[in-house]
Amino acid sequence: MNVSMVRSPSAVDRVLGLLREPPAEPDLSAGYLDLLGPAEDRAPSLAQSVMESTFLPRIYEKVWRPVGFNLAKGWPLGPDTAAEQATARDWLGLGQPGEAGRPAATVLDVACGPGNVTRALAEGVGEDGLVVGLDASATMLARAEADTPPGGEVCYVRGNAVDLPFRDATFDSVCCFGALYLFDDPWTAVDGMTRVLRPGGRLIILTSRRLTPLRASRVGGELIRRATGYTVFGDREITGALADRGFTGVRRHRYPLMQLVGGTLPAA
């Protein structure tokens, strides 16, 4: 596939300029920038295997996410997908669709899956903005490419979400929605997201939430993690992680089974 037919060449060039180690011969054969190459020899968790399947990307945006996430957020009382995405743009300092004066921000969507959030963030940046969706799953990125209109400053990258391939202080905003609980090492992932943010940059995370602080709930969460690779975070774990890494203005929306947490790095 010729990437010029799918992604803006200028967007690809801009992403290459953000990498710590740009490849001498970028692999764009699948339409996205592939930094991982052939599948590595590893044993993914049950939850990771589901995310990397060929079936889930087909139903993710229309069934899996709106049904599963909205129920976890307390539907019909909790926010729907559109409200969630509007909040993400707001907390990240972006504009809203159709607004004049949207910022020319450089935005990273970590573990972007089929690109539903990536596309929503792109609606909040101006013409000179850039939104990068990064994921390790080739099947998810194939769906992201298929569902994202040609042109525009959106670029997808196949890379490691825990060991981000980007240089320090390269993004104005970083988003990680519905993925942190799947990482083997979520705190190293948060370190990476912090590292690639510029001073004054903003981070937002939508992740799991343990319903109660009771010991039985913590034990149950640990059993779930060991069996499936899915981590259930306590109420103060994510906010504490951001505060420990120097974020200010940390805020949170709590839902029955999910939490939305955001913060800002101090300006230089």
Side-chain angles (χ1 to χ4, degrees):
M1 181 183 297
N2 186 336
V3 71
S4 65
M5 297 174 61
V6 181
R7 293 297 128 234
S8 162
S10 64
V12 175
D13 289 342
R14 291 175 67 183
V15 171
L16 288 171
L18 301 178
L19 297 175
R20 288 182 296 184
E21 299 179 2
E25 297 183 6
D27 182 357
L28 302 166
S29 59
Y32 50 79
L33 176 61
D34 193 340
L35 301 178
L36 296 182
E40 58 187 18
D41 184 14
R42 64 188 180 93
S45 68
L46 175 61
Q48 290 168 341
S49 295
V50 171
M51 298 304 291
E52 295 174 9
S53 69
T54 58
F55 173 70
L56 185 59
R58 301 174 189 171
I59 66 167
Y60 186 90
E61 189 164 0
K62 296 185 182 297
V63 180
W64 179 280
R65 201 173 196 287
V67 174
F69 277 50
N70 288 350
L71 287 175
K73 290 181 293 182
W75 183 90
L77 300 178
D80 61 12
T81 300
E84 170 193 304
Q85 293 174 347
T87 299
R89 289 187 291 262
D90 180 42
W91 285 21
L92 291 175
L94 308 179
Q96 298 297 337
E99 285 184 350
R102 287 171 292 171
T106 303
V107 183
L108 174 63
D109 183 18
V110 177
C112 66
N116 52 305
V117 175
T118 313
R119 291 186 290 275
L121 297 177
E123 293 180 333
V125 303
E127 292 183 0
D128 294 328
L130 173 67
V131 181
V132 181
L134 179 139
D135 204 285
S137 170
T139 56
M140 283 291 187
L141 290 176
R143 173 54 58 182
E145 284 288 353
D147 290 348
T148 302
E153 296 303 290
V154 174
C155 185
Y156 293 105
V157 176
R158 182 165 175 255
N160 189 328
V162 175
D163 183 17
L164 293 172
F166 305 104
R167 293 184 285 105
D168 295 358
T170 50
F171 291 95
D172 299 300
S173 305
V174 174
C175 173
C176 182
F177 267 30
L180 192 67
Y181 45 69
L182 299 175
F183 298 162
D184 294 330
D185 190 348
W187 308 124
T188 297
V190 176
D191 287 337
M193 297 178 213
T194 304
R195 177 184 61 80
V196 301
L197 269 176
R198 293 175 178 143
R202 302 187 185 189
L203 171 64
I204 187 171
I205 296 172
L206 177 67
T207 191
S208 58
R209 175 180 176 245
R210 192 162 57 240
L211 191 57
T212 74
L214 298 178
R215 184 176 185 277
S217 180
R218 295 197 299 271
V219 172
E222 179 61 19
L223 291 175
I224 291 173
R225 187 192 68 78
R226 292 184 180 183
T228 67
Y230 181 97
T231 300
V232 184
F233 295 103
D235 270 354
R236 299 178 181 177
E237 287 188 89
I238 307 301
T239 54
L242 267 58
D244 289 346
R245 288 161 177 79
F247 284 88
T248 61
V250 175
R251 51 183 166 173
R252 173 182 60 195
H253 285 170
R254 291 187 296 179
Y255 311 114
L257 297 176
M258 301 199 84
Q259 54 184 312
L260 182 67
V261 181
T264 303
L265 280 181

